Amino acid sequence: ATMRTLWMLAVFAALAVGCEGYAHSALRPIGLAPMGATSRRPAMIPAAARPKAVLETVGARVVQGATQGAVGAVVAATLSAFTEPVVNRILVQRISVMQSIKELDLAKSRKFFQTTLPTNFLKF
């Protein structure tokens, strides 16, 4: 269970920093690119080639924003539910990171997730 927990933490941390390129797109306007990538900016898509549902309707943009907020809330709630107990044990009990991860209880983290999810839906 410990290795699976580490993998879950790694996956959620990767999602949080933007494994889909959001973190890297912030670097491109100033001429920097991620390692192994070219510094060229992607070609701009002409307005005529963009999907009309996104361009023309406000409703589509509202749905798109709500969807992005919901995804962000779920990711943040998952990160909180699994990392906060680890960090709290490190700070309160003064134990090592690996010891704290070994003491992670998935059942308690799932229950804590039920608390963090509504909180993050309010936030996002």
Side-chain angles (χ1 to χ4, degrees):
T2 304
M3 186 55 107
R4 187 172 73 185
T5 304
L6 289 174
W7 274 107
M8 287 177 18
L9 289 173
V11 168
F12 292 127
L15 287 173
V17 297
C19 64
E20 293 184 21
Y22 295 111
H24 299 307
S25 65
L27 298 175
R28 287 197 181 118
I30 57 173
L32 300 175
M35 291 181 65
T38 62
S39 61
R40 290 181 287 144
R41 289 187 182 170
M44 296 298 292
I45 299 172
R50 293 184 196 152
K52 293 186 179 200
V54 175
L55 277 179
E56 295 176 2
T57 63
V58 174
R61 289 184 182 214
V62 168
V63 170
Q64 182 182 14
T67 304
Q68 290 172 351
V71 170
V74 170
V75 170
T78 306
L79 282 170
S80 296
F82 288 95
T83 58
E84 282 184 26
V86 172
V87 173
N88 287 341
R89 270 193 298 278
I90 292 169
L91 295 175
V92 174
Q93 297 175 3
R94 306 276 184 197
I95 58 176
S96 69
V97 175
M98 288 308 297
Q99 181 65 28
S100 182
I101 291 173
K102 286 179 185 176
E103 292 178 10
L104 184 65
D105 184 14
L106 291 179
K108 288 182 181 177
S109 292
R110 281 190 219 123
K111 187 171 181 179
F112 186 48
F113 177 76
Q114 294 174 352
T115 303
T116 59
L117 186 62
T119 305
N120 280 291
F121 273 130
L122 290 174
K123 210 181 340 179
F124 285 89

